[in-house]
C-alpha cells in the first residue's frame, strides 16, 4: 500500500477540476488492508511509516467540500426559506463559504435564483430546473432545446454529460482510436460522440444488433456506454414529459419500457440543423468559452480565468503542430469546453468549435453594450471579457435583438411549459434556424475560425 490516492478536487473560483495525488485517509488504509485477504490469506505491506499513518486524516474529505455546489445550492433553496449560506453552514461537514458564494453567483447569472432580504428564492426558471435531476445549466440547455425545436441531439448531449465516454482507447492504439473519432467529426468531441451514437442505432435498425456490435468494436465504441446513454436519455425524456415540456403525442409507443421521441415530433423540427443544436449545447456551459490566441505558441487558448491553456491531446480538434497547407485544415478560433483540468498543464476537455454568430446568440450569460472612450462604433461585451464588434452595425444590433427574443421565448416556456409558444416566437425560431443554414453554406469553402471571425469578435 503506497498510502496515496488520486483524487479529483474542484476549485470553485477558477471552475477547474484538479487531479491530485494526496495521502489517503486512515479509514481507507484499513479498508485497503482487508483487500489482502478477500479471496485467500494474504499480507499487506505499507510503504509508509507509522508517523505518516498517524498524520493522515481520519476519513476522506467529504464530497460536499470538493465538488461544484450549484445543484446543492439550488435544491437547498427549493427546500428552505433561510439563507442558503446559513443553512449549509449547519451541515455536519459544511462546505467552504467561498464555494457556496461562487455557486450562488453562478445560479444568479443563470437566472435560477433571485436575491431577497432574507436570502435567496427560486425564480420561475429555478423552480423548473429543481425538478430536473441535472446540473442546473444542463437543465437550461434541455429547456432551450425544447424551445428551439432540436431536442433529440440536445437530449443525447445531456445524457453524454452524465454517462461514461462513448469511445475507448486501448493501450497502444490511442492514435488510431483518435483518428476514428475524428472521422465522425474533426472539430467537436461532442458532435463526434452524438454522430457515433446515432450511427450505432442506424446500424441496429438496418442490420441488427450483432452487426452493430461488430461495427462498434471496429470503431472503438463501448456498447455498454451506448446502453447507458440510451437509459439516461429515456429518464430525462420522462422528466421533461412530467413537467410538460414534451407532449405525449411526440413519443413513440414505449420500446422496452423506454420513452423514445418520434422523428417528426414538434420538438424535433430543427434536429437536423447541426449548427443550431451545437449552439444550444453551449448554453449548458455558459462560462466555458475559449479563444485561440493570435499571439503566442501554436495551440494556446485563452479562457476568462486562464491566459494559457490548450486542448487536451485526446480531443479530435487537437494538433501538435500547424497542419500543412495541402491538408486544407482551417483551425477554429472559438470553442466551448466541458471541463478544465490541471495535470501537467491546464487542459480543456470535450471541446466543440463555435462560430461568432453561435456565440452571439447562445454563448455566455450576459451581453451588454460597450462604450469605449473615443470610439463611436457599436460594440457589445459578453461576460465582461469578450468584445463583440462588426463592420456592419445593423447586423450586430439585429443579432443582439434576436438573442433577447430567444431569451423571452425561453421565459414564456418556463412560465407555462404546457402552453405552445406564440406565433411570433415560432417565427423567430424558424428565422434563427434558416440563418444557421445560410451560415453553413457560407462556411463550406473555409471553416469559420480565422479571417472571418476577426470581423466579428476580438
Amino acid at each position: 500500500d503506497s498510502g496515496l490516492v488520486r483524487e479529483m478536487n474542484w476549485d470553485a473560483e477558477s471552475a477547474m477540476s484538479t487531479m491530485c495525488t494526496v495521502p489517503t485517509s486512515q479509514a481507507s488504509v484499513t479498508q485497503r488492508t482487508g483487500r489482502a485477504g478477500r479471496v485467500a490469506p494474504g499480507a499487506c505491506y505499507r510503504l509508509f511509516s507509522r508517523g505518516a499513518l498517524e498524520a493522515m486524516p481520519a476519513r476522506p474529505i467529504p464530497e460536499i467540500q470538493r465538488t461544484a455546489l450549484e445543484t446543492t445550492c439550488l435544491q437547498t433553496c427549493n427546500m428552505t426559506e433561510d439563507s442558503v449560506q446559513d443553512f449549509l453552514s449547519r451541515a455536519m461537514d459544511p462546505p467552504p463559504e467561498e464555494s457556496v458564494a461562487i455557486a450562488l453567483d453562478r445560479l444568479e447569472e443563470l437566472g435560477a435564483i433571485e436575491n431577497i432580504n432574507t436570502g435567496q428564492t427560486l425564480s420561475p426558471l429555478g423552480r423548473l430546473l429543481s425538478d430536473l435531476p441535472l446540473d442546473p445549466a444542463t437543465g437550461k440547455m434541455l429547456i432551450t432545446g425544447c424551445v428551439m425545436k432540436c431536442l433529440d441531439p440536445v437530449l443525447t448531449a445531456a445524457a453524454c454529460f452524465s454517462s461514461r465516454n462513448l469511445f475507448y482507447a486501448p493501450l497502444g492504439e490511442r492514435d488510431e482510436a483518435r483518428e476514428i473519432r475524428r472521422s465522425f467529426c474533426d472539430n467537436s468531441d461532442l458532435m463526434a460522440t452524438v454522430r457515433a451514437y446515432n450511427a450505432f442505432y442506424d446500424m441496429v435498425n438496418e442490420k441488427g444488433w450483432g452487426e452493430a456490435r461488430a461495427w462498434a468494436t471496429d470503431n472503438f465504441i463501448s456498447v455498454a456506454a451506448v446502453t447507458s446513454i440510451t437509459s439516461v436519455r429515456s429518464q430525462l425524456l420522462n422528466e421533461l414529459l412530467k413537467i410538460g415540456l414534451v407532449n405525449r403525442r411526440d413519443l413513440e409507443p414505449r420500446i422496452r419500457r423506454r420513452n423514445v421521441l418520434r422523428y417528426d415530433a414538434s420538438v424535433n423540427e430543427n434536429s437536423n440543423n447541426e449548427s443550431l443544436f451545437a449552439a444550444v449545447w453551449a448554453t449548458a456551459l455558459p462560462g466555458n468559452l475559449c479563444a485561440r490566441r493570435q499571439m503566442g505558441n501554436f495551440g494556446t487558448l485563452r479562457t476568462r480565468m486562464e491566459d494559457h491553456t490548450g486542448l487536451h491531446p485526446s480531443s479530435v480538434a487537437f494538433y501538435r503542430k500547424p497542419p500543412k497547407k495541402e491538408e486544407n485544415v482551417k483551425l477554429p478560433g472559438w470553442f466551448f469546453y466541458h471541463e478544465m483540468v490541471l495535470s501537467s498543464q491546464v487542459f480543456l476537455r470535450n471541446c466543440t468549435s463555435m462560430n461568432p454568430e453561435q456565440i452571439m446568440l447562445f454563448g455566455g450569460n450576459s451581453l451588454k453594450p460597450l462604450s469605449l472612450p473615443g470610439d463611436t462604433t457599436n460594440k457589445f461585451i459578453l461576460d465582461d471579457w469578450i468584445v463583440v464588434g462588426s463592420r456592419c452595425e445593423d447586423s450586430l444590433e439585429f443579432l443582439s435583438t434576436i438573442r433577447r427574443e430567444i431569451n423571452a421565448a425561453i421565459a414564456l416556456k418556463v412560465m407555462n411549459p404546457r402552453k405552445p409558444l406564440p406565433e411570433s416566437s415560432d417565427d423567430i425560431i424558424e428565422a434563427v434556424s434558416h440563418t444557421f443554414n445560410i451560415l453553413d453554406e457560407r462556411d463550406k469553402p473555409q471553416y469559420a475560425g480565422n479571417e472571418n471571425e476577426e470581423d466579428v469578435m476580438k
Side-chain angles (χ1 to χ4, degrees), residues 153-448:
V154 173
L155 202 61
T156 304
C160 290
F161 290 158
S162 306
S163 306
R164 58 186 289 189
N165 196 342
L166 184 75
F167 294 94
Y168 63 91
L171 193 64
E173 297 181 272
R174 291 183 178 177
D175 290 340
E176 182 181 352
R178 187 158 67 98
E179 288 305 314
I180 288 178
R181 288 175 58 214
R182 189 173 280 173
S183 68
F184 289 101
C185 183
D186 62 357
N187 54 45
S188 170
D189 297 300
L190 189 53
M191 187 69 76
T193 300
V194 171
R195 286 178 179 175
Y197 175 86
N198 292 336
F200 177 85
Y201 277 105
D202 288 344
M203 184 70 69
V204 170
N205 295 332
E206 292 176 7
K207 299 185 178 180
W209 188 260
E211 289 286 338
R213 286 183 66 93
W215 176 86
T217 301
D218 293 339
N219 288 276
F220 301 102
I221 293 173
S222 168
V223 177
V226 172
T227 305
S228 173
I229 291 172
T230 303
S231 176
V232 174
R233 266 179 53 100
S234 179
Q235 294 171 32
L236 295 178
L237 189 56
N238 188 50
E239 296 297 327
L240 295 177
L241 186 67
K242 286 180 181 177
I243 61 181
L245 285 169
V246 174
N247 194 301
R248 189 167 292 278
R249 293 193 301 269
D250 286 339
L251 301 181
E252 295 276 9
R254 289 176 70 89
I255 300 174
R256 296 181 182 178
R257 301 180 184 178
R258 291 177 179 168
N259 289 320
V260 179
L261 277 174
R262 294 171 58 92
Y263 74 93
D264 57 349
S266 60
V267 289
N268 268 350
E269 290 180 11
N270 298 324
S271 288
N272 291 327
N273 192 327
E274 290 191 345
S275 291
L276 176 60
F277 64 70
V280 172
W281 288 343
T283 61
L285 307 157
N288 292 12
L289 295 173
C290 64
R292 191 177 298 277
R293 296 187 62 173
Q294 300 299 322
M295 304 294 291
N297 295 332
F298 173 76
T300 304
L301 302 174
R302 180 198 170 196
T303 70
R304 182 178 181 179
M305 304 298 296
E306 294 287 331
D307 285 333
H308 192 90
T309 65
L311 299 176
H312 194 272
S314 64
S315 173
V316 295
F318 174 80
Y319 288 90
R320 295 190 181 277
K321 55 185 179 180
K324 298 177 181 178
K325 289 184 178 181
E326 54 268 23
E327 294 178 4
N328 197 26
V329 175
K330 300 296 183 181
L331 299 176
W334 292 87
F335 295 91
F336 75 82
Y337 59 92
H338 183 241
E339 186 180 26
M340 183 191 300
V341 296
L342 175 63
S343 53
S344 58
Q345 69 173 70
V346 179
F347 286 116
L348 306 178
R349 285 182 175 273
N350 204 349
C351 298
T352 293
S353 64
M354 299 190 75
N355 62 41
E357 291 82 6
Q358 289 173 313
I359 297 174
M360 184 72 179
L361 292 180
F362 294 97
N365 288 301
S366 174
L367 183 70
K368 298 179 290 187
L370 176 65
S371 297
L372 298 174
D375 188 354
T376 59
T377 58
N378 192 15
K379 285 186 172 64
F380 288 83
I381 186 165
L382 183 64
D383 289 349
D384 297 325
W385 77 282
I386 301 176
V387 177
V388 187
S390 175
R391 294 175 181 174
C392 179
E393 294 188 8
D394 290 342
S395 296
L396 197 61
E397 191 63 40
F398 171 75
L399 289 173
S400 65
T401 301
I402 293 299
R403 182 183 175 111
R404 289 194 297 270
E405 292 292 339
I406 291 172
N407 291 336
I410 293 172
L412 284 173
K413 196 66 176 176
V414 165
M415 295 296 292
N416 196 337
R418 299 182 187 278
K419 185 177 179 180
L421 289 172
E423 187 177 348
S424 58
S425 295
D426 282 337
D427 290 342
I428 292 291
I429 292 165
E430 185 178 358
V432 171
S433 178
H434 287 320
T435 299
F436 279 122
N437 285 330
I438 293 170
L439 293 175
D440 284 343
E441 292 297 321
R442 179 202 70 180
D443 295 336
K444 273 185 179 179
Q446 63 174 28
Y447 189 84

Side-chain angles (χ1 to χ4, degrees), residues 33-104:
T33 303
R35 295 178 185 175
R38 181 171 294 172
V39 296
C44 175
Y45 296 92
R46 294 175 176 167
L47 306 181
F48 48 88
S49 65
R50 293 184 183 274
L53 175 63
E54 293 173 359
M56 291 177 180
R59 60 183 187 278
I61 299 174
E63 189 172 348
I64 195 173
Q65 295 181 352
R66 57 182 179 87
T67 56
L69 296 176
E70 282 84 350
T71 303
T72 302
C73 291
L74 186 71
Q75 296 300 330
T76 301
C77 196
N78 190 32
M79 293 186 296
T80 179
E81 295 181 357
D82 297 338
S83 165
V84 173
Q85 189 78 263
D86 294 340
F87 185 88
L88 292 178
S89 68
R90 299 194 294 270
M92 292 181 62
D93 297 291
E97 292 185 3
E98 183 183 8
S99 298
V100 176
I102 291 173
L104 290 174

